[in-house]
């Protein structure tokens, strides 16, 4: 499967920086999932569970209190005021 770089950052610093298959969360307009090759966009994120599918097939889940998601050509950045695994 194709992967992309996901960076999760909070005021405490970088919480995650690795290649992933997908990330799923709740954006301003509802639930969304991002996979490699997704069209670039920016959206606010509502409080939700953030589900990350790793390259080895494992699923990593964290809870966030909202934030901002930026999808670029080859990377995704998630900024959150509070994020806990």
């Amino acid at each position: 499967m194709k992967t992309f770089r996901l960076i999760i950052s909070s005021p405490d610093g970088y919480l995650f920086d690795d290649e992933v298959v997908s990330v799923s969360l709740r954006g301003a307009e509802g639930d969304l999932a991002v996979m490699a090759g997704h069209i670039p966009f920016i959206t606010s994120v509502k409080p939700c569970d953030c589900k990350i599918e790793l390259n080895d097939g494992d699923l990593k889940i964290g809870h966030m209190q909202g934030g901002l998601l930026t999808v670029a050509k080859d990377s995704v950045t998630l900024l959150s005021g509070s994020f806990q695994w």
Side-chain angles (χ1 to χ4, degrees), residues 8-62:
I8 300 175
S9 183
S10 78
D12 296 327
Y14 288 106
L15 302 174
F16 187 86
D17 185 353
D18 204 352
E19 293 290 314
V20 302
V21 174
S22 69
V23 60
S24 302
L25 43 73
R26 179 159 294 151
E29 300 296 321
D31 292 343
L32 63 96
V34 177
M35 298 179 77
H38 199 290
I39 187 168
F41 72 98
I42 297 173
T43 187
S44 60
V45 178
K46 294 184 177 184
C48 65
D49 285 337
C50 176
K51 299 174 184 171
I52 302 164
E53 184 181 351
L54 303 175
N55 199 21
D56 62 6
D58 285 347
L59 187 65
K60 194 168 177 84
I61 299 175

